[in-house]
Amino acid sequence: GTLSPNPAFLRNTLHTWLVKDVRQVASINNTSTEQTEVELVPVDEIERMLVSGEIDHALVVATLWRALHHLRQG
């Protein structure tokens, strides 16, 4: 999907993809100023995390609600 993070002030767009059945093929290669942590969360837990506010970044929330909707549609 595509989202406009703040169309009143900015012209940027956020593009997201839902990819199923993926696997890691290489280690994470960050620069010296980056830190990446991978946390695997069962899909069944995502809605609870969204509703509770545990996940609260607006763009991530919107993306995950779309992903859950897509997954439920089959």
Side-chain angles (χ1 to χ4, degrees):
T2 302
L3 296 170
S4 299
N6 193 345
F9 299 104
L10 304 169
R11 295 181 50 164
N12 63 323
T13 14
L14 169 70
H15 301 280
T16 59
W17 291 265
L18 175 63
V19 182
K20 299 179 184 181
D21 301 318
V22 297
R23 63 183 175 86
Q24 185 172 340
V25 296
S27 61
I28 297 169
N29 187 16
N30 288 327
T31 66
S32 62
T33 60
E34 296 175 314
Q35 181 180 354
T36 304
E37 212 174 289
V38 176
E39 180 179 347
L40 301 177
V41 176
V43 172
D44 296 345
E45 286 292 305
I46 299 294
E47 185 170 349
R48 180 196 62 74
M49 294 172 79
L50 291 165
V51 171
S52 74
E54 188 174 343
I55 299 173
D56 64 354
H57 186 291
L59 297 176
V60 175
V61 169
T63 298
L64 289 174
W65 279 119
R66 280 186 170 189
L68 289 174
H69 175 76
H70 177 76
L71 290 170
R72 289 177 179 150
Q73 298 301 310

